[in-house]
Amino acid sequence: MENNKKIIFSGIQPSGDLTIGNYLGALKNWVKLQDQYDCYYCVVDLHAITVRQEPKDLRKRTLEVLAIYLAAGLDPEKNTIFIQSHVSTHSEAAWLLNCYTYTGELSRMTQFKDKSKRYGEATVSVGLLDYPVLMAADILLYNADLVPVGKDQTQHLEITRDIAQRFNNLYSPTFTIPEGYIPEAGAKIMDLQEPTKKMSKSSDNPNSYILIMDSPDVIRKKISRAVTDTLGIVKYTDEQPGIKNLITIVSSITAMNPEEIEKKYEGQGYAQFKSDVADIIINELEPIQKKVNEFLSDKTYLESVYKKGAEKAYYISNKVLRKMQKKIGFIPKQ
Ligand code: TRP
């Protein structure tokens, strides 16, 4: 082991444009972890193809997600940043782990059931069912201690732990049993139209989310259309989920706490508040958008980042893969 830092693994799918939910809920926290932990941040393109992707969109989005990682402040010198499909050990380990996973446990996953319903049973691929096993491979190949994920992924983390435990028990200790990592300031950003649901880049209604790359005009429009209530009080309460969500957004950008925000808008209606929320988001995103565009126009640099990341990721993960192969009973090639 290189050092005694705990190992972190996380990833985002390039299956849609990233939202401020991805930024405030994940990326902003990842940046805070980079000094303290040995972090692996992956663009999980193999996961993205579990539902159909247009090749040219997938290509574009994969680089865009990578550029967003960098623009948000992830330092490629401190973290291992890579594209999942560049590191063949992920697919190989997923196959092996498939043989230690039961179809029953996969078909019970909430996300699988939801997505199957959404995309229609006839087009549900084996890959979609198998999604959590690939995620387990991602995590276990690096012996990750901690996995920062949203609440919607805790079931996948649970099955990762089960698979790891099963393999360890069957043979001998091979994998670290990973834990979920819920950051202190973990902001869960909700849908702007249905504020009891998590904001998602795969929503059909663009007014439900704000994209990291949305222009100032679009951001203003979407915030002004965000669903609130008729109470007219800026209050951080579950009874006002729309307003609560806007407060969460402001709070995670400005580091003002909800009480301070409530106080600031006491006696004012929603119009002023919403207009300030839009300004705050725009100010936060503008420099990031600028950097994303700079990175995207420097393909040579992006290439150097993902090449170096893939090399390091392969080196580390291949050791674990070989260990798995050996324990299973495969003949070593050399
Ligand atoms: N399934 C995760 C999501 O949609 C993405 C992901 C893939 C992931 N592999 C991972 C997250 C490994 C953490 C660790 O959010």
Side-chain angles (χ1 to χ4, degrees), residues 15-270:
S15 54
D17 295 324
L18 300 198
T19 70
I20 53 164
N22 297 112
Y23 174 64
L24 298 173
L27 285 166
K28 224 171 137 87
N29 285 309
W30 294 3
V31 173
K32 292 186 198 147
L33 304 173
Q34 61 186 350
D35 292 312
Q36 218 179 324
Y37 298 99
D38 184 10
C39 302
Y40 293 82
Y41 294 124
C42 185
V43 182
V44 290
D45 55 350
L46 297 172
H47 277 102
I49 64 159
T50 54
V51 299
R52 204 57 76 232
Q53 304 291 333
E54 193 62 52
K56 74 174 186 333
D57 293 342
L58 181 62
R59 256 189 300 270
K60 177 168 165 277
R61 283 189 178 130
T62 301
L63 286 184
E64 205 168 85
V65 173
L66 186 77
I68 289 175
Y69 281 8
L70 301 173
L74 291 179
D75 180 346
E77 298 296 323
K78 292 183 187 162
N79 307 283
T80 308
I81 298 175
F82 66 105
I83 297 171
Q84 191 184 28
S85 65
H86 289 177
V87 185
S88 57
T89 50
H90 290 244
S91 305
E92 293 179 67
W95 172 259
L96 302 185
L97 295 177
N98 270 331
C99 302
Y100 301 84
T101 309
Y102 303 118
T103 52
E105 51 190 351
L106 290 177
S107 55
R108 279 196 297 274
M109 294 283 117
T110 322
Q111 192 172 70
F112 173 69
K113 288 194 281 188
D114 290 349
K115 285 196 183 173
S116 313
K117 236 186 260 155
R118 197 165 143 201
Y119 295 105
E121 305 284 346
T123 64
V124 172
S125 69
V126 177
L128 192 64
L129 176 68
D130 204 27
Y131 180 112
V133 181
L134 179 59
M135 183 161 158
D138 295 344
I139 296 167
L140 300 177
L141 277 172
Y142 299 88
N143 279 312
D145 298 287
L146 300 169
V147 183
V149 280
K151 256 218 179 96
D152 62 323
Q153 296 296 314
T154 47
Q155 216 180 22
H156 292 162
L157 198 56
E158 216 37 65
I159 198 173
T160 299
R161 291 163 55 90
D162 290 344
I163 297 168
Q165 203 89 62
R166 194 172 293 150
F167 195 96
N168 286 354
N169 290 342
L170 205 52
Y171 301 105
S172 57
T174 310
F175 301 123
T176 302
I177 309 298
E179 311 251 353
Y181 181 82
I182 314 291
E184 296 155 44
K188 186 175 176 196
I189 309 302
M190 310 302 279
D191 186 297
L192 297 176
Q193 295 300 314
E194 289 174 71
T196 48
K197 263 183 23 192
K198 181 177 164 175
M199 184 182 284
S200 166
K201 57 183 182 278
S202 43
S203 164
D204 299 325
N205 180 357
N207 283 321
S208 327
Y209 52 71
I210 289 177
L211 300 177
I212 294 178
M213 299 307 282
D214 270 345
S215 70
D217 283 352
V218 169
I219 294 174
R220 281 205 186 86
K221 209 173 65 199
K222 288 181 177 175
I223 290 294
S224 78
R225 289 182 186 164
V227 165
T228 54
D229 51 69
T230 53
L231 296 172
I233 310 160
V234 177
K235 193 150 186 261
Y236 188 76
T237 161
D238 288 338
E239 271 120 66
Q240 296 172 247
I243 289 293
K244 183 180 175 191
N245 188 35
L246 297 181
I247 295 178
T248 303
I249 293 173
V250 172
S251 167
S252 58
I253 294 176
T254 63
M256 271 170 91
N257 63 39
E259 298 81 65
E260 289 170 312
I261 297 165
E262 286 175 355
K263 227 190 209 129
K264 182 163 176 203
Y265 293 96
E266 219 172 77
Q268 298 184 41
Y270 293 158

